[in-house]
């Protein structure tokens, strides 16, 4: 069995956060294409859609008020604003993910599996079609040790537990 780590969507969001923090305009085409990424479809429900992602990110980059929003869109807006507050923290959360090696999780799966890190909204993790989706916003960094945790657990241990429970 083979486990792969996918951070493509996270990398696109890093670009978005950095550009927005630098007060650069992020194009609507970029936002529309980002919102259409297949990795984000796991987030969609009755009150959160591809259009929700585009609308929230557009309001942030254009510095507009997001007046009409669902609870889930509001959470997504808050999470993205949190990333913009201190990009050093954001990059500190990203560094351990970049060091993950999918092979260390091979023993915990029975099929080829992809672990996707995505900026989510409510849940910590999702499973769909032999893919694990981990909500980047649920990570927390220990500034003294540099360790990243999720739900109070070491990131690697959390991933192993989720893979074992599926």
């Amino acid at each position: 069995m083979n486990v792969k780590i996918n951070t493509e969507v996270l990398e696109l969001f890093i670009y978005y956060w950095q550009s927005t923090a630098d007060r650069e305009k992020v194009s609507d085409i970029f936002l529309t294409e980002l919102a259409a990424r297949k990795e984000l479809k796991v987030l969609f429900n009755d009150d959160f859609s591809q259009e929700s992602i585009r609308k929230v990110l557009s309001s942030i980059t254009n510095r507009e008020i997001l007046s009409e929003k669902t609870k889930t869109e509001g959470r997504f807006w808050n999470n993205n604003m949190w990333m913009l507050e201190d990009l050093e923290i954001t990059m500190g959360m990203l560094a351990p993910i970049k060091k993950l090696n999918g092979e260390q999780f091979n023993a915990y799966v029975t099929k080829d599996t992809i672990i996707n890190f995505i900026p989510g909204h409510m849940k910590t993790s999702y499973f769909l079609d032999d893919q694990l989706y981990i909500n980047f916003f649920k990570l927390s960094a220990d500034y003294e040790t540099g360790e990243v945790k999720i739900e109070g657990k070491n990131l690697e241990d959390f991933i192993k537990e989720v893979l074992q429970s599926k």
Side-chain angles (χ1 to χ4, degrees):
M1 300 310 112
N2 222 359
V3 175
K4 293 184 180 172
I5 310 293
N6 179 3
T7 60
E8 287 178 29
V9 168
L10 201 48
E11 296 289 345
L12 293 170
F13 270 86
I14 294 289
Y15 166 79
Y16 167 80
W17 294 323
Q18 287 177 326
S19 296
T20 300
D22 292 341
R23 296 194 175 273
E24 294 175 16
K25 173 80 170 95
V26 179
S27 78
D28 288 334
I29 293 170
F30 177 85
L31 297 178
T32 300
E33 289 177 0
L34 177 58
R37 291 290 302 225
K38 68 182 185 313
E39 295 93 336
L40 296 173
K41 291 187 185 331
V42 71
L43 300 174
F44 300 165
N45 57 37
D46 291 342
D47 65 359
F48 194 83
S49 65
Q50 179 176 326
E51 175 57 18
S52 297
I53 294 171
R54 192 211 58 77
K55 176 176 78 172
V56 167
L57 297 180
S58 178
S59 77
I60 293 170
T61 198
N62 292 320
R63 289 160 179 51
E64 299 170 347
I65 295 172
L66 186 62
S67 54
E68 292 186 31
K69 60 186 175 288
T70 65
K71 179 181 178 184
T72 309
E73 289 170 345
R75 174 73 58 90
F76 190 69
W77 185 88
N78 285 336
N79 288 339
N80 278 280
M81 292 300 288
W82 171 54
M83 290 296 108
L84 292 169
E85 284 179 20
D86 189 342
L87 287 175
E88 254 185 67
I89 294 171
T90 304
M91 299 314 273
M93 292 165 56
L94 180 64
I97 294 170
K98 296 283 221 171
K99 294 177 186 171
L100 288 176
N101 179 349
E103 291 178 10
Q104 73 189 89
F105 304 111
N106 286 347
Y108 300 93
V109 298
T110 57
K111 298 180 188 174
D112 287 351
T113 304
I114 298 173
I115 300 173
N116 300 280
F117 285 88
I118 59 172
H121 42 67
M122 307 301 255
K123 292 174 61 176
T124 302
S125 63
Y126 310 78
F127 239 110
L128 183 66
D129 300 329
D130 297 318
Q131 294 194 42
L132 171 60
Y133 299 84
I134 297 176
N135 184 350
F136 179 72
F137 294 138
K138 297 290 185 170
L139 299 175
S140 62
D142 182 323
Y143 306 108
E144 292 177 18
T145 65
E147 183 179 32
V148 170
K149 295 187 176 199
I150 187 165
E151 292 188 346
K153 300 175 185 124
N154 168 291
L155 180 59
E156 290 87 355
D157 292 340
F158 174 82
I159 293 171
K160 289 173 187 175
E161 282 182 28
V162 173
L163 291 173
Q164 285 177 317
S165 69
K166 76 163 184 103

